[in-house]
Amino acid sequence: MVTTTRPSEKTTHKVIGTRPIRPDGVDKVTGRAIYGADVTLPGLLIGKVLRSPFAHARIRNIDTGAAERLPGVRAVITAADLPDPDKGMADVGEASATYRDLSHNVMARDKALYQGHAVAAVAAESASIAEQALALITVDYEPLPPVLDLVEAMKDDAPLLHEDLRTNELGTLSDKPSNIAAHARFLKGDPAAGFAEADVIVERTYTTTMVHQGYIEPHASTAYWNADGKITIWTTTQAPFAIRDNVAVLLNVPVSRVKVIPTEIGGGFGGKLPPYVEPLAAVLSRKSGAPVKMTMSRTEELQASGPTSGSRTHVKIGAKRDGTIVAVEASLAYEAGAFPGSSVRFGSLCMFAPYDIPNMQLDSYDVVVNKPKVAAYRAPGSPAAMFASESALDELAERLGMDPIELRLKNSAKVGTRMANNIPFQHPVGNVKVLEAIRESDHWRSPLPESTETRKIGRGLAMGFWPNAPLKSSCFATVNPDGSVTLVEGNPDIGGTRASLAMQLAETLGIPYEKVIPQVADTETVGYNDATGGSRTTFTGGIAVYELGQDIKQQLIERARILWQLNPEDAIVYEDGTIRGPKEGQQLSFDQLAAQLFKTGGPVVGRASVSPKHVGFAFGCHVVDLAVDIETGKVEILRYTAAQDVGKAVHPSYVEGQIQGGVAQGIGWALNEEYVYDEQGRLVNASFLDYRMPTSLDLPMIETILVEEPHPPHPFGVRGVGEVPIVPPLAAVANAISHALGHRFTDLPISPRRIIETLYP
Amino acid sequence: MRSVKYYAATSWGDAVATLAKYPLAKPLAGGSDLLGWIKDDLVGPKEPRWEILVDLRTIEGASGYRYSQGDGLRIGALTPLSTLETAKEIVENYPMLAKAFAAPASPNIRNVGTLGGNINQRPRCWYLRGPEFSCYKKGGDFCFAVTGMNQYHAILDGELCYIVHPSDTAPALLAFDAKAKIVGPRGEKTVPLSEYFIGPRVDVTRETILAHDELMTEIQVPAPQPGVKTAYFKATNRETYDFAIVNVASWLKIKDNLVEDSRIYLSGVAPTPYRATIVEQTIKGKRIDEALARQAADQQMVRARPMSDNAYKVDIAKALIRRALLEAN
């Protein structure tokens, strides 16, 4: 693998920065790890969901009688079996929803709002019986005109999804029903005055279509509602505590009655934050008195989980002849799906964050349409927005005759620069360093291959920004007599976080990595932890294990004091895993002291609970070389290099993996992935055959450059790395194709069809 | 998935008799497509819910191939594609066929997917494959592609139904003038593959001449001839695990630099593998150069009748025809 690490000045670490084997690796490669669908219990029933064939329909009546009478069927439920919660705001990670919307999304109440919307569910003694039972349920639908297009949905006379939805217009609720859930604005300076000073103005509209996270493991949940009222849920989720809290509200039971046990998880990317089948499995279990397992098929995943928004973004950039950007304006509209809550505001915040621009007006519109309710997807909101802004900047560089890196360097934000929301960068950020890293890279300095008559070569560059999220983490650890440390934490391990947290604890304690035994606990074993999401687990979890390490060190010092019979004022030092007393030669290794803990008061248990305020912002700069076959429209990625400010790479291999994975998803988004709806709102490509994610053969080895600009509030300088790498590829690929063909591509995906239709109109 | 009965056939005769006896029995080869079809519960007035799967893989001798210089190549219909794409005799004597055998799906699917299955698979139309669409093929009364999303549908010979033929191997075998051996209740017969496929105007619910109780047992490819040049191209959205937007297989017999005879077939453009007869006529007796290749491709595609979203396939088909002619030159 071609990887360049640009280490921070101080490299005194012993564990951090090494590449040990992950603790969960053997179980995963040998098939022993228990994923969502692997859970089984005595008397287990299988649950299945009946889904709406209509994108928009009123539900007049549901007759479940015949299904209930089918032998082997143990329970049938509809929305009538669920409470109808109020409009309080639910925690669904980096997206938003009210509890009522969440409930109505889990099971349609009066209206089906997208094809695949759940309308009933059954639990039966086999999957086959459950499927037969679904076919026996009669739903009386009154089909309504579907609202599928953003522009159409925003019109005054568009059919309404929700008769009671009023636009939150810049903070004030409007009085007329609309499909526009919210219009927000970031305003800085005086854009009109800024544009008056501009010598060059670039202005275009960009669109993207709905795409899916494509995690390899579909949703799978097993619930058991015990006769004593206790609900236990085994589920594949990024957010066991949020699932617990949401299920409690959706089922109107106290949080203390719900226990969520996270299974191993095969990817999430934001799509495994909200509840889908968990509440249904629980209600089916209550009704049947048996545990119920529900898994979603790939078709159900694509039709009815939480993809990310299709978008339409208008951008206008004004600059002086020397490249100084004087003003920007943008208007972004994102599909929220069937219920409000897209990430459009995040998108508008991110799109010009790498730059110091005096005058900005960024308007964002959250629009409901008859498609699945969107969920978070890796840096939610940013990729589509920065596809627009970074494409426009590339065009600006072209118009000015400037190098795209020089244009970006000239306008770079620095500490003190205020973002669109007027919040200044308080800590050093790596936006300049990633640009410089690309400028100095072998890739950027290598000439492009020659184009031929039918194979056109292009190079494209783009930046990406994501603020990351800190949120809350808690954990505890026990020192064992053999010198090992059992770490109990609460974040499902998607990207190697057992390893990254164990490494940070080992570093803190000055003991070998192998001595730390991490485990992911359920919601009754460990304190509250926010989701594995927002690129936060290694960051906030790292602060937590560091604090935990300090707690253990302090307790070990006190145990040594007991052993050595020293006074409280006698200085004892803990350094590199060794405890030293004030007398010459008075010292114990971590292992030696651990072996004597039972003689000094029992085991040492450390704990920490943190909620850091200062998260480290993430920047990446990517460059891609590609070839376009102008006769078949096929794009071949020839070379790809991603530079990213990672703060401090705790486990460089996993950081590289995060970057490569994000790039792969971004390239898929740019070239091939798209939700194809027919005019009735039926998703016609709801399979991995027809919804084309890239395969390994579609990608070259993705080169990574790890830039380490430490984030000072973190003890090791860590910043989150998982999300931002999906941001730059959309614009980088589009810019490269534009250079190859001499035509600006503003709509994704840039599929063979799009290229041929553009070249031969 | 609902339950179905499974029957392991012991001979071709046994399989035919079982199919003849049970109207709701369906022959099973690799199963990579058929099981998905059943799982998706694709049924309609003319597409029954299959209840019995008759496994052909258990028939002795159904899988395997043999080659001789005199007789050419004979391939058992149940032979996995992955066996064929790497077979020394095929790679050496029919390199274009080896390329076509390696073109479908992904390596995993080619390990179970058979040659017979690839030739006889149902089309990939997303309306045919959507349980909610009662289209002509399933016995309904509508083609949803005509007014719907038709970017992957037919540009040639569409009528009533606008599916495209999905097989990557069929055009290559047709270019070699292969034959299919068929077994049925009245015994065996051998038919040219060029008479094997039927379009919607003959019977919209079927894609081949096979009756319910007939089975393809073998593919016969004539011995290689001297002076023959071949080419195979497949245009896709993705590098692997994808059906063709267009594919082209060409077989050109060249003598003294002039085209003496040719067979050129396309898949992915019409309901059956499409023979580019205008191309063949245009190049006959001529020496192929860039201009002739362009002229031949353009003239062939004058026949194209694209719909709202699939005109780009005409451009891609022209390009692949040109490339096939020039590579074979």
Side-chain angles (χ1 to χ4, degrees):
Chain A
M1 191 184 302
V2 189
T3 292
T4 321
T5 305
R6 315 173 96 233
S8 46
E9 301 291 307
K10 210 168 70 183
T11 48
T12 53
H13 301 308
K14 290 197 170 68
V15 181
I16 286 174
T18 63
R19 302 170 184 247
I21 290 172
R22 60 198 294 163
D24 47 316
V26 172
D27 275 358
K28 283 177 176 168
V29 299
T30 57
R32 283 207 309 270
I34 304 294
Y35 287 87
D38 296 325
V39 172
T40 190
L41 293 167
L44 185 70
L45 303 178
I46 301 299
K48 294 270 178 191
V49 175
L50 181 70
R51 298 183 180 277
S52 170
F54 297 104
H56 195 188
R58 204 170 300 285
I59 300 170
R60 287 192 288 228
N61 185 44
I62 305 178
D63 182 354
T64 59
E68 283 162 24
R69 288 189 293 273
L70 183 72
V73 171
R74 299 276 297 275
V76 183
I77 59 166
T78 66
D81 294 277
L82 286 133
D84 197 3
D86 66 19
K87 290 191 168 185
M89 292 305 290
D91 174 7
V92 284
E94 294 168 318
S96 65
T98 67
Y99 286 117
R100 173 170 293 178
D101 287 350
L102 218 49
S103 175
H104 293 194
N105 189 44
V106 162
M107 185 71 91
R109 196 157 279 269
D110 306 314
K111 275 172 105 182
L113 291 165
Y114 53 95
Q115 183 209 22
H117 199 166
V119 295
V122 302
E125 283 159 14
S126 75
S128 179
I129 295 171
E131 282 177 9
Q132 289 173 51
L134 293 184
L136 295 174
I137 298 173
T138 316
V139 185
D140 181 10
Y141 292 104
E142 177 194 342
L144 301 168
V147 181
L148 301 166
D149 179 77
L150 265 177
V151 177
E152 295 297 316
M154 293 173 79
K155 286 183 178 163
D156 280 344
D157 57 351
L160 293 170
L161 272 76
H162 304 278
E163 284 78 4
D164 61 347
L165 182 64
R166 306 273 191 281
T167 308
N168 181 336
E169 173 68 33
L170 304 177
T172 310
L173 217 54
S174 77
D175 48 10
K176 196 172 152 305
S178 168
N179 291 321
I180 303 170
H183 169 207
R185 176 178 291 162
F186 292 121
L187 182 62
K188 180 183 163 189
D190 183 348
F195 279 113
E197 289 176 37
D199 298 317
V200 179
I201 292 177
V202 169
E203 188 170 7
R204 275 190 199 275
T205 300
Y206 302 84
T207 67
T208 66
T209 65
M210 189 168 262
V211 298
H212 197 268
Q213 299 88 348
Y215 35 78
I216 199 65
E217 182 204 21
H219 283 88
S221 309
T222 302
Y224 190 25
W225 194 315
N226 205 355
D228 64 4
K230 183 82 185 186
I231 305 166
T232 306
I233 298 173
W234 295 258
T235 189
T236 175
T237 181
Q238 296 171 244
F241 287 90
I243 291 290
R244 178 194 68 180
D245 295 358
N246 287 327
V247 165
V249 175
L250 264 50
L251 302 182
N252 197 22
V253 298
V255 163
S256 58
R257 291 249 306 271
V258 184
K259 172 179 179 174
V260 172
I261 304 173
T263 63
E264 290 299 337
I265 179 167
F269 313 105
K272 286 186 186 153
L273 294 167
Y276 294 101
V277 286
E278 290 92 346
L280 304 182
V283 175
L284 285 168
S285 176
R286 182 183 56 187
K287 221 167 171 175
S288 63
V292 176
K293 176 156 79 177
M294 302 182 81
T295 56
M296 286 171 75
S297 70
R298 187 59 61 183
T299 297
E300 289 178 294
E301 286 286 350
L302 288 164
Q303 286 179 345
S305 62
T308 195
S309 311
S311 70
R312 189 172 195 280
T313 299
H314 185 80
V315 175
K316 184 177 168 190
I317 306 181
K320 294 199 169 184
R321 190 67 59 201
D322 69 352
T324 306
I325 299 171
V326 288
V328 295
E329 263 177 24
S331 173
L332 304 81
Y334 279 23
E335 297 169 342
F339 299 93
S342 77
S343 303
V344 66
R345 212 156 152 271
F346 275 134
S348 65
L349 175 65
C350 289
M351 63 192 302
F352 289 106
Y355 310 108
D356 185 356
I357 300 170
N359 305 298
M360 296 200 254
Q361 179 173 327
L362 309 173
D363 287 281
S364 62
Y365 296 87
D366 185 37
V367 184
V368 295
V369 291
N370 289 116
K371 297 180 183 178
K373 172 172 171 47
V374 299
Y377 179 17
R378 212 167 189 160
S382 187
M386 294 197 81
F387 162 55
S389 56
E390 290 292 305
S391 294
L393 280 173
D394 193 67
E395 188 173 358
L396 177 64
E398 203 174 46
R399 291 266 295 277
L400 292 168
M402 261 182 105
D403 177 278
I405 293 180
E406 297 312 317
L407 173 68
R408 286 169 171 84
L409 284 172
K410 188 175 182 61
N411 293 285
S412 276
K414 39 206 152 304
V415 172
T417 299
R418 289 179 182 276
M419 291 191 291
N421 60 0
N422 233 356
I423 293 174
F425 287 162
Q426 295 181 35
H427 302 287
V429 286
N431 56 333
V432 168
K433 287 189 177 177
V434 293
L435 282 160
E436 289 170 347
I438 289 293
R439 190 174 59 184
E440 291 158 23
S441 68
D442 177 67
H443 185 166
W444 188 254
R445 288 159 175 259
S446 299
L448 279 171
E450 290 286 319
S451 289
T452 69
E453 207 173 312
T454 58
R455 191 168 182 265
K456 302 297 182 193
I457 311 290
R459 173 173 290 171
L461 174 134
M463 288 280 286
F465 167 79
W466 182 246
N468 295 329
L471 305 174
K472 303 175 290 297
S473 285
S474 62
C475 54
F476 66 91
T478 308
V479 180
N480 301 309
D482 65 351
S484 66
V485 177
T486 319
L487 168 64
V488 180
E489 43 109 355
N491 275 110
D493 183 352
I494 295 192
T497 51
R498 282 187 183 91
S500 71
L501 296 180
M503 289 172 77
Q504 292 181 79
L505 180 54
E507 187 73 51
T508 306
L509 294 174
I511 62 176
Y513 161 75
E514 293 74 19
K515 287 279 190 180
V516 180
I517 306 157
Q519 59 170 303
V520 178
D522 63 62
T523 57
E524 290 187 349
T525 303
V526 69
Y528 193 95
N529 278 269
D530 277 302
T532 299
S535 307
R536 63 171 291 279
T537 307
T538 297
F539 174 77
T540 308
I543 295 174
V545 297
Y546 178 81
E547 296 296 332
L548 160 67
Q550 302 309 321
D551 185 18
I552 288 177
K553 279 154 71 170
Q554 195 52 47
Q555 292 188 52
L556 289 177
I557 284 171
E558 295 313 315
R559 297 305 179 88
R561 194 182 306 282
I562 294 168
L563 277 178
W564 290 330
Q565 299 180 333
L566 294 172
N567 295 319
E569 64 275 15
D570 293 330
I572 302 176
V573 182
Y574 187 116
E575 197 180 13
D576 287 341
T578 302
I579 301 94
R580 288 189 183 82
K583 293 178 194 156
E584 181 71 18
Q586 192 175 41
Q587 70 172 48
L588 285 165
S589 71
F590 186 91
D591 287 1
Q592 286 169 333
L593 182 52
Q596 300 186 65
L597 291 180
F598 289 5
K599 292 190 288 186
T600 58
V604 160
V605 179
R607 52 119 186 87
S609 177
V610 302
S611 182
K613 292 285 165 284
H614 296 280
V615 71
F617 294 156
F619 290 90
C621 179
H622 296 192
V623 56
V624 59
D625 296 351
L626 50 77
V628 186
D629 184 328
I630 59 164
E631 293 186 331
T632 64
K634 187 85 193 313
V635 172
E636 183 191 353
I637 306 290
L638 301 174
R639 187 172 184 184
Y640 201 106
T641 301
Q644 185 174 321
D645 174 18
V646 302
K648 177 71 202 170
V650 175
H651 191 307
S653 297
Y654 298 165
V655 173
E656 291 152 12
Q658 288 287 339
I659 294 173
Q660 290 163 331
V663 170
Q665 288 179 315
I667 289 174
W669 198 337
L671 291 179
N672 263 320
E673 292 179 40
E674 61 175 321
Y675 267 45
V676 183
Y677 279 100
D678 77 355
E679 72 289 352
Q680 299 295 314
R682 292 173 294 207
L683 184 63
V684 293
N685 63 335
S687 77
F688 268 172
L689 183 56
D690 299 311
Y691 178 88
R692 295 180 182 84
M693 301 191 77
T695 70
S696 61
L697 298 182
D698 294 284
L699 304 165
M701 175 48 73
I702 293 154
E703 299 166 45
T704 57
I705 302 173
L706 307 185
V707 175
E708 296 189 325
E709 172 67 54
H711 177 56
H714 190 283
F716 303 116
V718 167
R719 47 183 94 226
V721 299
E723 288 170 294
V724 79
I726 198 177
V727 181
L730 285 64
V733 167
N735 290 339
I737 295 173
S738 300
H739 293 307
L741 301 179
H743 177 93
R744 282 279 154 194
F745 283 78
T746 54
D747 305 295
L748 300 185
I750 309 174
S751 59
R753 175 187 168 200
R754 172 113 47 213
I755 287 175
I756 296 296
E757 286 180 350
T758 306
L759 292 179
Y760 314 101
Chain B
M1 179 177 164
R2 67 199 166 78
S3 50
V4 290
K5 292 194 177 69
Y6 171 85
Y7 180 75
T10 55
S11 67
W12 287 112
D14 180 35
V16 166
T18 309
L19 290 168
K21 189 169 171 192
Y22 300 102
L24 294 179
K26 187 84 176 162
L28 173 72
S32 62
D33 188 38
L34 178 60
L35 294 183
W37 181 278
I38 292 170
K39 273 187 183 175
D40 291 340
D41 203 25
L42 302 177
V43 297
K46 294 274 180 62
E47 179 62 30
R49 205 167 252 128
W50 305 107
E51 290 180 356
I52 301 168
L53 296 181
V54 181
D55 198 342
L56 309 179
R57 292 169 298 190
T58 46
I59 297 171
E60 209 179 306
S63 173
Y65 63 92
R66 58 180 194 277
Y67 170 75
S68 73
Q69 266 188 324
D71 273 359
L73 182 64
R74 285 166 181 249
I75 305 170
L78 276 291
T79 315
L81 291 166
S82 58
T83 304
L84 299 171
E85 67 186 88
T86 52
K88 190 164 170 286
E89 296 91 332
I90 298 174
V91 172
E92 282 175 3
N93 297 297
Y94 306 90
M96 186 266 265
L97 271 188
K99 214 172 158 185
F101 294 153
S106 63
N108 316 38
I109 292 174
R110 293 198 300 277
N111 280 335
V112 294
T114 64
L115 179 60
N118 185 265
I119 296 169
N120 290 287
Q121 67 184 307
R122 304 303 307 276
R124 277 310 310 179
C125 168
W126 48 30
Y127 295 108
L128 172 64
R129 300 281 172 158
E132 62 271 42
F133 300 101
S134 179
C135 73
Y136 283 126
K137 272 215 168 293
K138 288 181 277 198
D141 56 0
F142 197 65
C143 174
F144 294 84
V146 174
T147 53
M149 315 302 288
N150 53 42
Q151 55 258 53
Y152 301 119
H153 287 83
I155 52 173
L156 287 155
D157 282 358
E159 189 177 321
L160 214 60
C161 161
Y162 288 80
I163 60 146
V164 294
H165 202 268
S167 173
D168 287 333
T169 63
L173 292 164
L174 281 157
F176 275 102
D177 202 20
K179 293 183 173 65
K181 206 163 122 185
I182 294 169
V183 63
R186 287 157 301 281
E188 283 187 355
K189 62 183 172 185
T190 302
V191 300
L193 217 46
S194 57
E195 294 166 19
Y196 185 76
F197 300 100
I198 56 175
R201 76 191 68 167
V202 178
D203 184 346
V204 74
T205 65
R206 294 195 296 164
E207 291 88 41
T208 72
I209 57 170
L210 286 188
H212 173 72
D213 52 5
E214 288 182 319
L215 293 163
M216 172 191 277
T217 62
E218 188 178 88
I219 289 291
Q220 303 172 351
V221 188
Q225 297 180 32
V228 167
K229 301 209 171 172
T230 57
Y232 183 87
F233 288 99
K234 176 180 179 182
T236 52
N237 282 283
R238 181 162 67 180
E239 276 299 309
T240 186
Y241 188 44
D242 210 354
F243 283 90
I245 298 170
V246 177
N247 66 21
V248 174
S250 65
W251 180 98
L252 275 68
K253 190 162 187 185
I254 311 276
K255 198 176 173 190
D256 303 331
N257 288 323
L258 304 178
V259 179
E260 192 176 73
D261 192 12
S262 68
R263 278 186 299 275
I264 293 153
Y265 278 89
L266 285 76
S267 225
V269 296
T272 59
Y274 183 84
R275 186 166 188 178
T277 50
I278 296 176
V279 173
E280 294 173 7
Q281 289 155 19
T282 308
I283 62 175
K284 194 172 174 78
K286 296 196 183 127
R287 181 186 186 136
I288 292 174
D289 59 16
E290 177 82 38
L292 182 68
R294 185 169 296 275
Q295 182 201 343
D298 289 353
Q299 284 183 6
Q300 183 68 58
M301 285 299 142
V302 169
R303 291 277 177 91
R305 295 288 177 270
M307 296 185 278
S308 55
D309 302 335
N310 65 0
Y312 75 104
K313 293 179 65 165
V314 177
D315 295 300
I316 294 176
K318 284 183 191 173
L320 293 201
I321 291 172
R322 285 199 302 273
R323 287 180 188 187
L325 295 179
L326 291 168
E327 178 165 298
N329 191 22

